[in-house]
Amino acid sequence: MTDLEHLLRRTTDLAIEHLATLDDRPVFPSAPAAELRAAIAADLPDGPLAPTTVIEELAAAVAPGLTLVPGGRYFGFVTGGAVPAALAADWLTATWDQNAFSYVSSPAASIVEDIAAGWIKEILRLPEGASVGFTTGCQMAHVTALAAARHDVLRTAGWDVAAAGLSGAPPIRVVTGEKRHVTVDRALRLIGIGSDAIDIVPVDAEGRASAAHIADRLAVHRGPTIVVAQAGEVNTGSFDPIPAIAAVASEHGAWLHVDGAFGIWARVSERLEALAAGVEQADSWAFDAHKWLNVPYDSGVAVVAHPEAHRASMLGPAAYLAATGSERDAYDWTAEASRRARGFAIYAALRSLGRSGVTDLIDRCCAHARRFAERLAALPGCEIVNDVALNQVLIRFGDDETTNRVLEKIQRGGVAWMGGTTWDGRAAIRISVSSWATTVEDVDRTVAAFAAAVA
Ligand SMILES: *Cc1c(COP(=O)(O)O)cnc(C)c1O
């Protein structure tokens, strides 16, 4: 065996060992930061160190500091593990070391992204002619799609932002709900639209903005306007009423952008049809593959119904880049130049799951969420705060102090991990079921941990 072969086989063993022992370890690290730092700290060596030694020592040193996201009892944020084919494709992505910048930098990466883009539009029932950019996550998908929106609404107002910039441009207004994700504001700021330009409408108990409130704001504003709606609120999983919002946005000539980070995957389920209908009526969508599609980090998707606005807001042609004209050059669709070939893992995830597998993944997570709600509701003092229509379960145990104490016990107990939040000005615990790996037993073990914590 060559040294490289030995290194890669040893690395495979370490990966398998990690995944095979998930059940035996606390879901969140119990070691304090100082201890982790002491284990990981090393002097930068003066000379080379054998790669196998580096990898073995790295794996051993970081093990006590890893959150066990690939396991079935990680319910933090809205993030799931990685389906096996996507994990394996991601290993190969690093091995192949392709630059997914353009067709010429990697014909394979370009074609795989093109095919994965088609599958995503098909499975999510988004317009066939829409353009797709593969980004680091939903944050940069927002930047990408909202840059296209900015280009388009200003073009309609007679302003070429690509040439003239924003200085002196007609002001853009953004209308959105109070419970929009924090990454929407950051994306807007990065493209030159500050918080003063964001017109925030109130939301209902589930965090939904109403079309009537949005229509009121649109009626008093003439000029370039972007509406940002949400498909999947990060605490409750609720959807804004997108068909009604699309109708008022269209009536006022506003661009409708949808934040569907995890929630857009509800589009694959017949059970969730009522929730996710009409999402295709938007002008752009931003979402993740690394959340509910269970692809490894980092992987987001920007889809734009108006490819010319999308392309005009990104790189545009440059002579040395050697565009083929007919094949996909990723630099047209994202804000990055050289980048990881993210399409391989998405392609592998979709192909290995198939249509029914993606539907099963989404339906199963939602069924687990309902089971959580049913079982937790039976515990003394437990209140289910949200309407559990998707994969999110928001709970409380009486006052803030009790809720926080229960959460802390769960987080320290090691059986499961989830985060806390504030909802309606009060503390709450957010359980997000987002992983293919979660089983009924995982749900029941977690509920048992809650029962013990409450007792
Ligand atoms: C997670 C999330 C985002 C941001 O996505 P990243 O992948 O972390 O960049 C945006 N919107 C919503 C609703 C989210 O849940």
Side-chain angles (χ1 to χ4, degrees):
M1 247 197 315
T2 65
D3 287 350
L4 180 60
E5 221 178 300
H6 177 70
L7 170 68
L8 295 182
R9 289 194 198 285
R10 182 72 191 113
T11 304
T12 305
D13 289 342
L14 288 169
I16 292 170
E17 198 180 302
H18 177 71
L19 296 176
T21 55
L22 291 171
D23 257 1
D24 315 332
R25 284 177 285 148
V27 176
F28 191 84
S30 53
E35 200 177 296
L36 293 172
R37 187 174 285 279
I40 297 168
D43 290 330
L44 178 63
D46 287 333
L49 201 58
T52 307
T53 307
V54 173
I55 293 306
E56 283 178 340
E57 291 185 2
L58 173 68
V62 303
L66 296 174
T67 45
L68 302 191
V69 179
R73 277 170 279 106
Y74 184 84
F75 304 110
F77 307 99
V78 239
T79 57
V83 291
L87 169 62
D90 202 55
W91 281 13
L92 286 174
T93 301
T95 309
W96 294 329
D97 198 18
Q98 300 294 283
N99 183 354
F101 169 68
S102 68
Y103 181 81
V104 166
S105 69
S106 174
S110 161
I111 292 171
V112 163
E113 281 195 358
D114 203 42
I115 290 169
W119 288 350
I120 286 173
K121 285 183 282 180
E122 192 182 327
I123 199 168
L124 296 178
R125 291 171 290 122
L126 299 178
E128 208 183 318
S131 47
V132 179
F134 293 97
T135 62
T136 49
C138 192
Q139 169 73 79
M140 289 310 292
H142 283 322
V143 171
T144 308
L146 289 168
R150 181 186 68 168
H151 183 92
D152 192 72
V153 297
L154 288 176
R155 186 191 51 78
T156 305
W159 187 270
D160 179 1
V161 69
L166 276 182
S167 185
I172 297 173
R173 196 161 62 157
V174 177
V175 181
T176 187
E178 200 184 316
K179 288 290 185 182
R180 71 202 174 284
H181 197 265
V182 62
T183 52
V184 170
D185 297 51
R186 176 156 64 178
L188 290 168
R189 215 155 61 227
L190 287 172
I191 63 168
I193 302 172
S195 55
D196 290 352
I198 306 179
D199 200 345
I200 299 160
V201 305
V203 293
D204 69 10
E206 295 291 324
R208 291 176 291 229
S210 81
H213 279 129
I214 290 175
D216 285 350
R217 303 301 169 90
L218 292 179
V220 297
H221 180 70
R222 302 269 165 246
T225 306
I226 300 169
V227 175
V228 179
Q230 181 160 254
E233 202 279 335
V234 79
N235 296 287
T236 63
S238 71
F239 278 48
D240 289 339
I242 292 172
I245 293 173
V248 301
S250 156
E251 194 181 311
H252 290 87
W255 177 291
L256 176 60
H257 173 69
V258 169
D259 178 356
F262 60 101
I264 201 163
W265 295 98
R267 300 270 293 166
V268 304
S269 167
E270 243 171 72
R271 280 197 88 244
L272 300 168
E273 175 61 27
L275 190 67
V279 165
E280 73 283 353
Q281 293 165 30
D283 297 289
S284 61
W285 305 263
F287 52 94
D288 279 308
H290 60 215
K291 284 178 179 170
W292 220 353
L293 185 60
N294 286 192
V295 164
Y297 297 98
D298 42 27
S299 191
V301 188
V303 180
V304 179
H306 312 283
E308 61 300 338
H310 189 176
R311 179 185 249 134
S313 62
M314 293 295 127
L315 190 54
Y320 88 99
L321 301 178
T324 61
S326 56
E327 295 298 338
R328 176 186 173 86
D329 291 316
Y331 56 67
D332 278 336
W333 314 114
T334 71
E336 291 157 273
S338 301
R339 49 177 276 270
R340 185 174 181 80
R342 298 187 185 101
F344 293 130
I346 295 177
Y347 177 101
L350 289 171
R351 187 138 190 260
S352 76
L353 291 166
R355 287 172 206 281
S356 68
V358 180
T359 304
D360 280 355
L361 168 63
I362 300 309
D363 282 342
R364 211 165 57 238
C365 289
C366 295
H368 290 326
R370 290 194 299 276
R371 187 180 180 93
F372 259 123
E374 269 167 40
R375 308 255 151 153
L376 289 170
L379 299 184
C382 184
E383 175 201 352
I384 310 295
V385 178
N386 67 324
D387 171 20
V388 183
L390 201 69
N391 63 330
Q392 299 294 118
V393 189
L394 206 54
I395 61 172
R396 296 195 166 110
F397 292 88
D399 59 17
D400 286 6
E401 202 196 324
T402 313
T403 300
N404 289 331
R405 260 206 337 261
V406 171
L407 176 60
E408 207 185 308
K409 275 197 169 171
I410 295 290
Q411 289 179 335
R412 286 203 185 167
V415 169
W417 197 88
M418 76 264 328
T421 188
T422 303
W423 188 257
D424 261 348
R426 292 173 56 202
I429 299 170
R430 316 176 45 247
I431 301 171
S432 171
V433 191
S434 309
S435 179
W436 70 280
T438 299
T439 62
V440 167
E441 292 71 40
D442 287 320
V443 175
D444 292 350
R445 261 181 84 179
T446 305
V447 173
F450 270 106
V454 172

